[in-house]
């Protein structure tokens, strides 16, 4: 909002026109817009921005949002290819609808299979000590997200790409692709925050990823996807509590610092995405939904006391 106001003033717009345009974009009141426009005309707008207090990897778009968006774009290409090969198979893109659980949904007739795409970009180096898995055979699924999924999208499948080099690749690659204006926007988003900064980040990251995809793609195309349902993730949590530090590990706070995750074996507990595609090609979407909802009989403790 401030940047657009500054550009409008440089192009000769009157203060009142700029103030009303700022007000229309939000989130400032019209009175506040009228107060800051003369200040922007005189001093620019950088001093009006809020400095980011956190600039580490968890809050930095280059290490968090760009990898996830680029991973989603890779997966989108595989969905395009799959839908071309299966009669009646289509998908919807849910990423810009505000849906917090689903990225894409596959459709075939009345059947629907929701998908959540993830990039596992940080190796859990203490996995062997804390959850009994080799660090290279371990991916995290946030426990609360899997529980939420079972409430609203019980057939959800996570499609996970393990790429520990992706962040480093993007740190080197992305600045080379941006033009001068994009580098300015990138610098502003990296070092400043505000009420609508997440919307600005999303717009910038979606836009630049699509704009430069043909140049990005050769650097990120190699890593396969692995599928695991939210149901299976919760089953692992229930039957192997040690895999979920904070539940099955004493003094979790001294062992690691992260949200509570279910840690999954890639080799033993996920299904290669190309195998899921093969099953859809052979039997349609219903074969996967049946696999997600498979049941078995077993004796369980049901204590009265």
């Amino acid at each position: 909002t401030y940047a657009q106001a500054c550009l409008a003033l440089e192009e000769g717009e009157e203060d009142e026109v700029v103030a009303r345009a700022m007000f229309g974009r939000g989130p400032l009141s019209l009175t506040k817009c009228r107060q800051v426009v003369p200040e922007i005309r005189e001093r620019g707008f950088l001093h009006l921005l809020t400095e980011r207090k956190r600039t580490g990897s968890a809050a930095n778009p280059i290490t968090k949002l760009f990898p996830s968006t680029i991973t989603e774009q890779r997966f989108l290409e595989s969905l395009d290819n799959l839908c071309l090969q299966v009669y009646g198979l289509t998908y919807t893109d849910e990423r810009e609808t505000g849906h917090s659980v689903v990225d894409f949904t596959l459709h075939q007739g009345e059947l629907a299979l929701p998908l959540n795409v993830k990039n596992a970009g940080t190796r859990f180096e203490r996995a062997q000590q804390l959850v009994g898995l080799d660090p290279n055979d371990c991916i995290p699924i946030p426990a609360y997200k899997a529980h939420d999924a079972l409430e609203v999208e019980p057939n959800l499948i996570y499609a996970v790409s393990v790429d520990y080099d992706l962040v480093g690749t993007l740190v080197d690659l992305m600045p080379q692709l941006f033009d001068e204006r994009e580098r300015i926007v990138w610098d502003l988003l990296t070092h400043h925050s505000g009420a609508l900064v997440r919307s600005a980040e999303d717009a910038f990251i979606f836009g630049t990823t699509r704009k430069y995809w043909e140049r990005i793609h050769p650097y990120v195309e190699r890593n396969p996807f692995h599928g695991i349902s939210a149901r299976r993730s919760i089953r692992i949590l229930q039957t192997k509590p040690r895999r979920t530090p904070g539940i099955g590990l004493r003094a979790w706070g001294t062992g690691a610092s992260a949200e509570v995750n279910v840690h999954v074996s890639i080799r033993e507990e996920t299904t290669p995405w190309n195998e899921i595609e093969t099953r859809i090609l052979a039997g349609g979407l219903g074969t996967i939904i049946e696999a997600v909802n498979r049941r078995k009989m077993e004796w369980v403790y049901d204590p009265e006391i």
Side-chain angles (χ1 to χ4, degrees), residues 75-86:
F75 189 75
L76 189 59
E77 292 191 340
S78 72
L79 290 185
D80 283 332
N81 292 331
L82 181 62
C83 289
L84 288 174
Q85 298 176 68
V86 180

Side-chain angles (χ1 to χ4, degrees), residues 76-113:
L76 189 59
E77 292 191 340
S78 72
L79 290 185
D80 283 332
N81 292 331
L82 181 62
C83 289
L84 288 174
Q85 298 176 68
V86 180
Y87 176 78
L89 188 68
T90 61
Y91 69 85
T92 53
D93 189 335
E94 315 282 358
R95 292 175 295 169
E96 296 182 71
T97 65
H99 202 306
S100 61
V101 175
V102 180
D103 293 318
F104 306 99
T105 302
L106 277 169
H107 303 274
Q108 190 175 37
E110 296 182 354
L111 299 177
L113 183 67

Side-chain angles (χ1 to χ4, degrees), residues 133-148:
L133 292 175
D134 185 300
N136 291 316
D137 183 43
C138 178
I139 55 176
I141 303 293
Y144 79 95
K145 290 184 179 180
H147 270 296
D148 287 348

Side-chain angles (χ1 to χ4, degrees), residues 50-72:
T50 302
E51 291 284 336
R52 276 190 187 268
K53 294 181 180 179
R54 297 174 59 223
T55 57
S57 62
N60 189 326
I62 198 72
T63 55
K64 185 177 181 181
L65 301 178
F66 260 119
S68 62
T69 300
I70 286 169
T71 301
E72 290 163 4

Side-chain angles (χ1 to χ4, degrees), residues 183-213:
R183 282 192 289 271
I184 292 171
V185 173
W186 171 244
D187 185 68
L188 290 172
L189 291 175
T190 300
H191 296 100
H192 300 88
S193 186
L196 300 177
V197 69
R198 182 55 192 269
S199 297
E201 288 172 350
D202 286 345
F204 179 73
I205 289 165
F206 272 116
T208 52
T209 297
R210 289 164 178 163
K211 177 180 177 181
Y212 295 114
W213 181 242

